[in-house]
């Protein structure tokens, strides 16, 4: 009996080839996703370090200095310490809600990074509803906070969770209306289109100059959405021990910590994209244009420069929230809600109508 | 019919970001020590024994704000398609959108006057 071995081998190698191709395809789709995850993690570590160093500078302390050169690795050391800490579940709490809460907070904020453009092609998904997706997803995070506040079975946590939800829904609407004005100016909700609409006229083409009121409202509301200090009522130390985080320990507390810094980074990135011209170098009449023309053939240089510019703008902007933290005192709950509903909401509606009218004249 | 192939990478990213907390829980579950004591597991209430249940009644204001929020959120969702094709639609649709916004402004003034936006 003769077995036609070459044929069998052919089939084998073919099937293996198919299998390889499939694996290769999967890996090829996963690499561009894992790279941003890694980048985001590093970005968060940088923010934590920046915040600690700037805070130390403001308060005339030294700040982290032992872990690595200039204390760069301090955040990493803190995170790995939290991994080794015991996970305590409060005896009377809801274990399921208690664990799902921080996960939802982290996931919903991480997912909103998928629409942030770092360069004209360096964006995970260029959806035509880009910013809208961000707004929709970022409003899932308060559900996680509410769940963790409820699941802790602690009065402080419960009140903190309620406050977090009330605060983020109050400031969601001014934020959405500001983004609406921006997408009206650029006739698109895609983040890439919004940046490209600002690329003309260099520095003066930024939406910051066309939407000064919107920029200020966006700044205030994004501070409130991140629960940064003038608006950190959900975790006000003097009243509610640590708000919804009171019962958390170990890595679950770490997830909340990461979520708050992820939120800060993403809102700063969106300020860059929506108001500060994104990846454009934004200095008109300078050699850069010729410089780019020469180097366009290489294909790697331009995305790198674009990403560098985006990140530089983002981290420079981050100085504002961090210094605000040590400058302004905390608001009261009624002041917070009054500011949101009776001041920012009418002004952002007025800003929208003003933008619409000015666009109408330019039609 | 919707063609959602654009969202493939989005779904993959969603799955990967959901794996991250699970991964963190697993690592911490392996590494972290476990020692249960009744005092440690009781909920924190400034160092004394917790009194009563924590799921207590809370202010009605939270519900009022949530209701007003839903109204305005739905409004902005309706305004987005209009804003994205503003240059195509022109003046007549602008007037319609203005009427829509004005109705909501009247509604918010009503809510304001009725005290739905008051905290005290």
């Amino acid at each position: 009996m003769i077995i036609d071995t070459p044929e069998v081998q052919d089939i084998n190698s073919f099937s293996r080839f198919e299998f390889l191709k499939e694996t290769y395809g999967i890996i090829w789709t996963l690499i561009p996703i894992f790279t941003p995850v890694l980048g985001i993690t590093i970005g968060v570590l940088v923010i934590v370090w920046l915040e600690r160093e700037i805070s130390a500078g403001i308060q005339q302390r030294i700040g982290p200095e032992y872990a690595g050169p200039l204390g760069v690795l301090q955040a990493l050391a803190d995170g790995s310490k939290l991994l080794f800490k015991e996970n305590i579940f409060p005896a009377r709490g809801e274990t399921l809600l208690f664990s799902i809460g921080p996960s939802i907070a982290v996931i919903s904020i991480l997912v909103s990074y998928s629409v942030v453009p770092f360069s004209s092609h360096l964006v995970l998904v260029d959806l035509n509803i880009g910013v809208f997706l961000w707004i929709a997803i970022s409003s899932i995070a308060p559900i996680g906070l509410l769940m963790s506040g409820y699941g802790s079975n602690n009065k402080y946590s419960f009140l903190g969770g309620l406050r977090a939800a009330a605060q983020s829904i109050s400031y969601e609407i001014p934020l959405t209306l500001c983004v609406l004005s921006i997408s009206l100016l650029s006739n698109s909700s895609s983040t890439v289109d919004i940046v490209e609409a600002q690329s003309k006229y260099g520095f003066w083409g930024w939406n910051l100059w066309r939407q000064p009121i919107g920029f200020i409202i966006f700044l205030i509301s994004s501070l409130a959405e991140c629960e940064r200090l003038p608006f950190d009522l959900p975790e006000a130390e003097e009243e509610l021990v640590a708000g919804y985080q009171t019962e958390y320990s170990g890595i679950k507390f770490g997830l909340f910590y990461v979520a708050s810094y992820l939120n800060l980074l993403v809102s700063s990135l969106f300020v860059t994209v929506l108001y500060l011209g994104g990846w454009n170098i934004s200095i008109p009449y300078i050699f850069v244009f010729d410089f780019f023309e020469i180097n366009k053939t290489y294909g790697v240089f331009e995305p790198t420069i674009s990403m560098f510019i985006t990140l530089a703008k983002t981290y420079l902007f981050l100085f504002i929230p961090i210094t605000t933290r040590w400058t302004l005192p905390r608001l009261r709950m009624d002041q917070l809600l009054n500011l949101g509903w009776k001041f920012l909401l009418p002004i952002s509606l007025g800003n929208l109508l003003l933008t619409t009218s000015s666009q109408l004249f330019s039609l | 019919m919707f063609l959602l192939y654009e969202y493939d990478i989005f779904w993959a990213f969603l799955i990967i970001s959901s794996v991250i907390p699970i991964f963190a829980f697993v690592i911490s579950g392996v590494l972290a020590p476990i020692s249960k004591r009744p005092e440690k597991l009781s909920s924190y209430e400034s160092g004394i024994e917790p009194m009563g249940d924590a799921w207590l009644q809370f202010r009605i204001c939270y519900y009022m704000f949530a209701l007003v929020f839903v109204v305005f959120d739905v409004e902005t969702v309706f305004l987005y398609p209009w804003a994205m094709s503003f240059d195509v639609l022109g003046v007549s649709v602008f007037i319609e959108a203005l009427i829509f916004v004005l109705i909501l402004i009247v509604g918010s003034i009503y809510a304001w006057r009725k005290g739905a936006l008051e905290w005290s």
Side-chain angles (χ1 to χ4, degrees), chain A residues 87 91 150 155-156 247 342, chain B residues 28 41 44 46 51 55 118:
Chain A
N87 284 312
Y150 185 80
K155 288 167 189 121
Y156 298 120
E247 289 292 334
K342 297 182 180 170
Chain B
S28 147
L41 295 183
Y44 177 77
S46 306
M51 304 255 288
W55 295 322
E118 298 295 334

Side-chain angles (χ1 to χ4, degrees), chain A residues 21-90:
Chain A
K21 203 173 155 189
E22 216 165 76
T23 353
Y24 188 72
I26 291 172
I27 290 171
W28 202 237
T29 43
L30 286 187
I31 284 175
I33 299 170
F34 269 115
T35 321
V37 171
L38 198 70
I40 292 162
T41 319
I42 295 169
V44 167
L45 294 181
V46 172
I47 288 190
V48 175
W49 177 76
L50 257 185
E51 166 141 286
R52 299 184 74 155
E53 285 287 335
I54 295 170
S55 310
I58 291 171
Q59 298 173 338
Q60 301 187 335
R61 296 183 280 117
I62 297 169
E65 59 169 342
Y66 291 113
L70 287 172
V72 178
L73 299 176
Q74 185 65 50
L76 208 61
D78 287 348
S80 42
K81 186 199 80 171
L82 284 177
L83 265 181
F84 285 101
K85 289 285 176 187
E86 188 181 350
N87 284 312
I88 300 173
F89 292 99

Side-chain angles (χ1 to χ4, degrees), chain A residues 217-239:
Chain A
I217 296 168
F218 190 92
L219 183 61
I220 297 172
S221 334
S222 64
L223 273 179
E225 291 276 308
C226 297
E227 288 155 17
R228 299 287 300 175
L229 197 85
F231 307 106
D232 75 334
L233 285 137
E235 39 199 285
E237 289 91 355
E238 294 84 6
E239 316 160 25

Side-chain angles (χ1 to χ4, degrees), chain A residues 135 167-182 211 213-222 224-225 275 336-349 351-352, chain B residues 69 72-73 75-76 80:
Chain A
I135 285 169
Q167 175 174 335
S168 52
I169 62 172
S170 304
Y171 285 81
E172 182 90 20
I173 292 167
L175 194 82
T176 318
L177 286 172
C178 289
V179 175
L180 188 64
S181 319
I182 294 283
Q211 287 280 315
I213 308 168
F215 176 71
I216 292 165
I217 296 168
F218 190 92
L219 183 61
I220 297 172
S221 334
S222 64
E225 291 276 308
Y275 290 99
L336 175 100
L337 290 170
N338 278 349
L339 179 69
W341 287 103
K342 297 182 180 170
F343 184 72
L344 292 182
L345 176 63
I347 286 187
S348 58
L349 263 176
N351 182 45
L352 176 69
Chain B
F69 164 74
F72 275 95
D73 213 34
E75 174 206 356
T76 44
Y80 260 91

